[in-house]
């Protein structure tokens, strides 16, 4: 009986192995956007972290120190533009230095599955990149 319990315990621990991994989800030499959770309540802000692991500063459009972004919503299995942050003043750029992070809190009130899009400019590169966040749910 002790052997059986030992074997069952080992299988349980092995099946949970992925839950305890603590590796950094951000790839080296990349610009990554991740939310701090996969699920949020509509009364709480979504926390978005922009990780700049490139060797250059990243420039993100902003307005009065708030990031400008697009938010897509998954509708019938397809991503659709749902919201576009705009600016009534002059658009500025927020610089995220190489090797650093920037965190922003953004409210989403309607339940659904979403993702963020940011237009990112890098020094020495003429055209911007569009960087997508992971998908997340609002309940």
């Amino acid at each position: 009986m002790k052997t059986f319990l030992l074997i069952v315990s080992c299988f349980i621990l092995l099946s949970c192995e992925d839950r305890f991994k603590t590796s950094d989800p951000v790839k080296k030499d990349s610009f990554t956007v991740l939310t701090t959770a996969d699920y949020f309540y509509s009364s709480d802000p979504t926390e978005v972290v922009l990780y700049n692991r490139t060797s250059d500063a990243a420039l993100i459009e902003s307005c009065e120190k708030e990031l400008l972004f697009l938010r897509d919503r998954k509708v019938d299995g397809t991503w659709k533009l749902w919201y576009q942050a705009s600016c009534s003043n002059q658009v500025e750029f927020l610089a995220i230095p190489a090797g650093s992070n920037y965190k922003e809190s953004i409210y989403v009130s309607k339940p659904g599955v979403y993702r963020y899009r940011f237009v990112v400019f890098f020094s020495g590169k003429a055209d911007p990149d569009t960087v997508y966040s992971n998908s997340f749910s609002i309940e």
Side-chain angles (χ1 to χ4, degrees):
M1 185 66 175
K2 289 182 183 178
T3 305
F4 175 74
L5 290 174
L6 180 62
I7 292 171
V8 169
S9 297
C10 288
F11 279 119
I12 290 171
L13 286 173
L14 289 174
S15 68
C16 296
E17 180 181 6
D18 287 341
R19 294 181 187 182
F20 299 107
K21 287 185 178 177
T22 58
S23 62
D24 187 358
V26 181
K27 295 178 185 173
K28 185 179 177 185
D29 300 326
S30 69
F31 188 91
T32 306
V33 179
L34 296 172
T35 58
T36 57
D38 293 329
Y39 299 94
F40 297 92
Y41 291 106
S42 60
S43 59
D44 298 329
T46 58
E47 299 287 334
V48 183
V49 183
L50 292 81
Y51 298 89
N52 185 3
R53 298 295 185 262
T54 68
S55 57
D56 296 318
L59 300 174
I60 311 289
E61 292 179 321
S62 66
C63 184
E64 298 178 9
K65 299 187 182 182
E66 291 195 13
L67 297 180
L68 296 179
F69 61 89
L70 298 122
R71 185 170 48 239
D72 299 325
R73 183 172 185 208
K74 200 169 221 179
V75 178
D76 298 327
T78 304
W79 290 108
K80 306 280 186 188
L81 176 61
W82 197 256
Y83 175 81
Q84 181 172 354
S86 60
C87 185
S88 59
N89 296 328
Q90 183 173 346
V91 173
E92 302 163 344
F93 286 93
L94 173 79
I96 302 174
S100 63
N101 308 334
Y102 182 82
K103 187 175 185 180
E104 180 93 7
S105 297
I106 305 170
Y107 280 91
V108 182
S109 60
K110 187 168 183 162
V113 177
Y114 298 92
R115 70 179 180 189
Y116 291 108
R117 275 190 279 164
F118 290 91
V119 177
V120 184
F121 295 85
F122 293 100
S123 58
K125 193 173 175 190
D127 295 323
D129 292 341
T130 300
V131 180
Y132 297 86
S133 75
N134 57 300
S135 61
F136 61 94
S137 296
I138 301 294
E139 298 177 6

